[in-house]
Every structure is written in structure tokens, then in C-alpha cells.
Amino acid sequence: MTLQTPQPPPSALRAVLAALDDEGALSKPAAAALRHTAGPLLPAHPLAVYVLEGSALGTARRTGWRFLIKQGSGGVVAAAEVTETVAGHTFSHFAAGPYLDSTVQALRQAWQLAQGSRTIRLPRLLTMPGHYATALWLNGSAPDGGDDLLIPLSPAPLGVTAHRIYRAGELLAALERPPLGGAAMLLSQS
């Protein structure tokens, strides 16, 4: 598998760069890690953000872009998200927390998976609010999405293993099934 690095629209990159220079945006609590850095802050690893409201991957809609923010040549210290608007892209927020390290880990997994394979995949970020889940989506070339892979980020919902590489259909089906413990608990309470 080969990973094809996505190219964000220029307006998305401009929105992130403007936010990194904006004292107001950097004063928000989620930007705390960005206020005391020793080197320049650089947007890296752009990922298109898709939201899946139902259970069919083909219905996911792109809502914006997420950039991992690196401190100079060092590691990732935050993420910046921009949303799509009619006029281009608008900065939404900075983020930190468990999904940040988990995204970096999933990207490493994807690059390792890509070694020696001819299948081309485009990494995306898939949020599934109805399941309280986010995954790195490795979009394949099959028109029906049959070769798409998903790597759930940590923390993952019950019944799903974070950082396990799933075929998209397998993970989406697992998310639709209630966890065994939850069903047993409901039966015992009735």
C-alpha cells in the first residue's frame, strides 16, 4: 500500500497559519501547549476531516481539515482544525488530548502498512459522533469503498480495539452492534 499525502486547499493552510499568529486563538485553554514553545510552530500532516452520521461510509461528508502542529523539528504538540465554508476555510479550534498522540500512532501504522504494497490509499480523519469514535480512514481506490481500512483512535468505544486495522465494513458493523456487557446489563435490570 502506498499512502498518498493529501494536499489541503491553500485557504485551509492560510487559516491555520493565521491562527498560529493570533494571540486571541492562542489564549484559549486548548492552545496551552502552543504558548510556551521553544521553536517555530509548523502545521504538518494535513488530514481531511469527514463526519459519518449513519452507517454507510459513502455518506460521510467532508467538513474541513485537521493539521498536526509540530514544534520546529520536534514532535507534535497540538492539532488545529479548520472548517469548510462557502468563502473558503475558517479556523475552528486547537485541540490537545488523547486523540493527538493516537493520531500520530495511527499515521505511523499506516506508513508501516504502506511499505512494499502497490495499493494507493489516501489518509483521512473520520469522526463518528453517534458512536463517540474517531478513526484514521485509509481510503482505497475501489469505487464502492470495499478496500477501505479504518484504524480506530484511542479511546475507542466498547467492543472496538484502538489501533487495530479493520476493514471499513467490519468496523462499521461492530459499531452498530451493542457491546455484550451492555445487553446483559439491560436484561438483568428488567
Side-chain angles (χ1 to χ4, degrees), residues 16 76 89 115 134 154 156-157 183:
V16 170
V76 173
H89 290 84
Q115 302 304 314
T134 302
S154 179

Side-chain angles (χ1 to χ4, degrees), residues 108-188:
R108 282 191 196 119
Q109 286 179 271
W111 282 110
Q112 289 173 350
L113 191 62
Q115 302 304 314
S117 175
R118 292 184 181 177
T119 304
I120 297 174
R121 296 192 190 277
L122 182 65
R124 300 171 169 176
L125 196 63
L126 180 67
T127 63
M128 299 165 276
H131 299 290
Y132 302 100
T134 302
L136 183 66
W137 174 10
L138 302 176
N139 180 245
S141 56
D144 66 353
D147 63 346
D148 289 2
L149 301 174
L150 296 173
I151 303 173
L153 302 184
S154 179
L158 288 174
V160 172
T161 304
H163 295 286
R164 176 179 162 214
I165 299 170
Y166 289 86
R167 294 227 171 263
E170 177 189 7
L171 178 61
L172 295 174
L175 288 170
E176 292 300 317
R177 289 189 303 267
L180 290 176
M185 188 180 292
L186 287 175
L187 289 174
S188 68

Side-chain angles (χ1 to χ4, degrees), residues 13-26 34 80-82 91-94:
L13 182 57
R14 280 192 303 272
V16 170
L17 291 172
L20 288 170
D21 284 337
D22 180 1
E23 291 299 321
L26 292 173
L34 300 174
E81 195 159 315
V82 296
F91 173 74
S92 174
H93 62 277
F94 288 113

Side-chain angles (χ1 to χ4, degrees), residues 36-56:
H36 307 289
T37 57
L41 297 171
L42 306 168
H45 308 295
L47 294 169
V49 176
Y50 284 77
V51 174
L52 180 62
E53 300 289 348
S55 60

